[in-house]
Amino acid sequence: MSRPNRVSAVAVTIAALALLLPSHRALAQEPFGGRYEPDGRAYDPDAGIVEGGPNQYGAAPVTAETGAGTDGSSTESHLGSCTGWRSDLVPPTSIRVYRTTGDAAGTVQVVPFRSYVGTVIAAEWPGYWPIETLKAGAIGVKQYGWYWARNWRGKTAANGDCYDVVDNTNDQVYRPETKVPVVNHLAAIAATWPLSLRRYDAAAGTSKLFMTGYRAGALDVPCGQDSDGWKMYQWSMYECGKDGLTWEGMLRRYLEPNLEIVDPGDHHIAVGPLGDAAIVVPGSTDGTKQARIYAGRPGWFDAARTVGFSAASTGLLGLVSADVTGDGRDDLVVLHRDGTSAQHLDVHPGTWSGYGARKTWWSSSSDGPSFSNTAIRLVAGDFDGDGRADVGFLVDGSDVTRSAFHVFRSTGSDLAVPRSWWAGTLDAQRASPRAVDATGDGRADVVLEIDRGTSGLRYAVLPSRAAGGSLRALQLWLDLPAARRATTRTVAGDYDRDGRTDLVLAVPAATGTTLMALDSTGSKFVATALWTSPADQPLALSKVKLGAADLNVDGRGDAVIYEDGGSNGTRVKAFISSGKGLVASFSRHDPALLWGTLHAY
């Protein structure tokens, strides 16, 4: 999907390694299961679901007296409310815990929510387990507490103080006096903190935050063999981690079908948490290029700002936006030619205000090898599932019918020596690749838009293997025989928020332009119309350039259209995804932006 992980996997410490015993039956810390029978009651799947509230940006808690946000907005009833957190996209800032042990026994403590999650995961998920298993566990721990912070059960202590959860196995084990998270726990929490899960109801067309649950399960069960679609089983997830699955791949094995994995803020470069519309335009000096962004705000675009990238046009082979540093912001990766046969890759890291100083992460002259092929297609995506985007080259082989794909794995500050991940029959010069998670396993795949001339466009995928290291054989996902390269604009984004990246196309229509999704099912694309320009406001495709970002931080991919205004410059238009279509929303007129010179990225 997506860029789901925010920090790199952290190596197991020497102290943690000392806890490993010859048999994994003898754990230093047994996993606790979970929370699907709160207060001993049988679990009702419908009771474990809550309607999603309005989108929030730094959401405020709900006041107990009114059930309304402190910013004045309304929310669903909370039976008088306790913590009453109203956002289903931003985790709570605190949770109220009834203590049954220690000096605080019999009282309610208001606990910072992130600290609460750290203490619980330390008690319930052994810290020396595989980091990807711990990431899945961190999501399960967080979302369980989040659910009850939004949905009070009417529980009160003897003195009348309300609480959301109790500190024992009726809910989650909270023992701050004795349970302290280790480095791997903290890394797992940081990597997944912005993420949340939903159940999708196809009949109603809605998705809802649900209460996660987990159980220890049986020992020696292979990965996913005991999955039931509702609970996570810790012992078999331990095996999943050993098998090399990402946390996202695990969640799909245990919680599918109808699972949505929500990762807000796609294409976030600078300023707030929202995605940004980004372009490259001619620089102030002849023969140079510079980047500008229209920073996203709730309901509008900021004025364009130049954001720290400038490069000579000569020798520029490609650029791509991706989070190669692993800090949650998209960086700009730029490929340059050096002479006739050498190349180098520069990274301009995303910062609060724009792009930071350029750094060369790879040079064929010093690092090798050199790619002297006539066609190099640059992409970036998280191929190894460690939370940082890697760099990929699609290059010609010995002739135009043979190609190879090479991956440079990111360390967060450098690129490893490229490795060949695939070679096969493909004309790279007719293929436009994108590195996106189309299969939804937490690793980037290579999606290819192949120009077949009068036979139309073909969409094929090189899927990543579950344990990484290489790509599987080329798979045909969709043919569009009526489409033409010259009249198709293509971007990538998870418009329906199912954790599988889709493609969004702008194509000709009777009234001008249609925005169409190629919706990924994980094994094929399904073409779906999302929006068509109305007859009374036609939008000619010849005046359209297309971009993509999560403009309202709801985890769905939105579209950006740059419309040619001729002598009036360019209008930047937002099309917000509802999950089933795109809705024309806010726009910004930029009279100084020459449409013919901009390149959206």
Side-chain angles (χ1 to χ4, degrees):
M1 132 183 160
S2 30
R3 44 171 187 74
N5 306 327
R6 303 288 178 148
V7 299
S8 62
V10 178
V12 178
T13 64
I14 294 175
L17 283 171
L19 297 175
L20 290 172
L21 300 177
S23 170
H24 73 263
R25 294 176 184 275
L27 288 174
Q29 175 185 30
E30 292 289 337
F32 286 84
R35 321 316 74 92
Y36 258 127
E37 291 82 33
D39 296 337
R41 296 173 296 170
Y43 173 67
D44 175 0
D46 292 333
I49 291 176
V50 60
E51 291 284 354
N55 189 21
Q56 301 303 323
Y57 307 88
V62 176
T63 60
E65 294 78 9
T66 65
T70 54
D71 61 359
S73 59
S74 62
T75 185
E76 65 267 16
S77 170
H78 288 275
L79 302 176
S81 188
C82 189
T83 293
W85 188 256
R86 63 188 172 92
S87 176
D88 64 354
L89 291 167
V90 178
T93 55
S94 64
I95 189 168
R96 297 176 67 90
V97 183
Y98 180 73
R99 299 303 311 278
T100 63
T101 62
D103 293 341
T107 68
V108 174
Q109 292 182 328
V110 180
V111 180
F113 187 60
R114 191 153 174 163
S115 297
Y116 171 81
V117 173
T119 300
V120 171
I121 194 173
E124 299 188 337
W125 294 77
Y128 54 86
W129 275 18
I131 189 67
E132 295 300 312
T133 302
L134 293 181
K135 289 176 184 177
I139 293 173
V141 168
K142 175 185 66 182
Q143 187 146 325
Y144 180 87
W146 186 347
Y147 176 85
W148 290 121
R150 294 188 78 234
N151 295 269
W152 185 43
R153 290 168 283 185
K155 301 291 185 178
T156 58
N159 66 355
D161 287 347
C162 68
Y163 62 88
D164 304 309
V165 291
V166 66
D167 69 357
N168 58 30
T169 54
N170 283 345
D171 284 314
Q172 293 174 305
V173 177
Y174 177 74
R175 300 282 190 274
E177 299 85 1
T178 58
K179 300 299 181 182
V180 179
V182 298
V183 63
N184 279 4
H185 289 134
L186 297 175
I189 293 167
T192 58
W193 192 253
L195 308 177
S196 57
L197 308 177
R198 304 284 189 281
R199 291 283 185 200
Y200 180 71
D201 184 337
T206 58
S207 62
K208 304 169 185 178
L209 189 79
F210 66 95
M211 182 183 68
T212 47
Y214 43 93
R215 281 280 177 260
L219 291 169
D220 298 321
V221 175
C223 172
Q225 186 168 297
D226 52 358
S227 63
D228 59 12
W230 284 103
K231 306 179 191 69
M232 296 185 285
Y233 289 95
Q234 291 164 288
W235 277 119
S236 60
M237 289 177 68
Y238 169 81
E239 299 297 329
C240 292
K242 289 169 57 180
D243 291 346
L245 266 69
T246 67
W247 65 265
E248 186 170 352
M250 293 182 208
L251 292 184
R252 292 200 182 281
R253 292 203 180 188
Y254 288 85
L255 301 180
E256 289 279 19
N258 303 323
L259 177 69
E260 289 187 355
I261 299 173
V262 182
D263 183 10
D266 189 38
H267 203 215
H268 172 215
I269 299 168
V271 192
L274 283 72
D276 304 305
I279 57 174
V280 171
V281 297
S284 56
T285 304
D286 289 344
T288 62
K289 298 283 189 182
Q290 65 178 210
R292 295 182 190 170
I293 66 168
Y294 296 85
R297 299 280 187 177
W300 76 84
F301 290 116
D302 278 352
R305 63 173 69 187
T306 302
V307 285
F309 161 73
S310 181
S313 300
T314 304
L316 184 62
L317 295 179
L319 57 85
V320 64
S321 180
D323 182 13
V324 293
T325 57
D327 65 354
R329 297 179 186 274
D330 272 14
D331 314 300
L332 191 60
V333 181
V334 186
L335 175 64
H336 299 271
R337 178 187 291 114
D338 299 322
T340 58
S341 61
Q343 305 86 28
H344 72 273
L345 280 162
D346 287 340
V347 171
H348 301 254
T351 70
W352 178 255
S353 59
Y355 292 121
R358 172 183 63 86
K359 297 180 181 179
T360 297
W361 279 28
W362 171 82
S363 171
S364 63
S365 300
S366 58
D367 304 316
S370 178
F371 296 90
S372 58
N373 312 73
T374 57
I376 301 177
R377 301 289 189 267
L378 170 69
V379 298
D382 187 5
F383 290 103
D384 57 7
D386 68 351
R388 297 181 295 259
D390 310 297
V391 174
F393 283 0
L394 177 66
V395 299
D396 291 342
S398 56
D399 59 63
V400 295
T401 66
R402 299 286 298 178
S403 295
F405 190 81
H406 301 269
V407 171
F408 303 70
R409 294 179 65 180
S410 171
T411 68
S413 59
D414 202 352
L415 294 174
V417 174
R419 305 292 184 190
S420 177
W421 278 41
W422 176 85
T425 302
L426 178 70
D427 184 354
Q429 298 189 50
R430 300 180 70 89
S432 298
R434 288 172 175 81
V436 297
D437 184 10
T439 57
D441 65 352
R443 300 180 187 271
D445 314 297
V446 180
V447 176
L448 299 160
E449 184 178 67
I450 303 170
D451 184 1
R452 302 172 67 220
T454 57
S455 296
L457 297 178
R458 167 165 289 176
Y459 295 88
V461 177
L462 294 167
S464 286
R465 296 188 183 278
S470 64
L471 302 172
R472 289 184 279 151
L474 190 68
Q475 300 177 3
L476 171 63
W477 278 29
L478 182 67
D479 272 335
L480 290 180
R484 297 292 181 269
R485 175 66 273 155
T487 55
T488 302
R489 323 279 188 257
T490 308
V491 293
D494 184 10
Y495 93 94
D496 57 357
R497 203 171 64 183
D498 66 353
R500 302 178 180 93
T501 306
D502 316 300
L503 299 182
V504 175
L505 278 54
V507 296
T511 58
T513 299
T514 286
L515 296 178
M516 170 195 301
L518 302 188
D519 184 9
S520 172
T521 68
S523 60
K524 65 180 180 179
F525 286 126
V526 177
T528 304
L530 301 177
W531 176 86
T532 298
S533 55
D536 60 344
Q537 298 178 32
L539 176 61
L541 184 68
S542 61
K543 295 186 175 183
V544 168
K545 294 183 180 180
L546 195 60
D550 179 6
L551 297 173
N552 62 345
V553 80
D554 67 352
R556 296 188 179 104
D558 308 308
V560 180
I561 281 182
Y562 301 88
E563 181 184 2
D564 185 4
S567 60
N568 291 321
T570 302
R571 185 166 291 279
V572 186
K573 297 183 173 181
F575 289 77
I576 303 300
S577 174
S578 67
K580 295 183 290 185
L582 292 171
V583 179
S585 186
F586 54 93
S587 65
R588 185 178 191 94
H589 178 222
D590 190 337
L593 178 60
L594 298 179
W595 182 86
T597 64
L598 74 87
H599 166 74
Y601 71 92

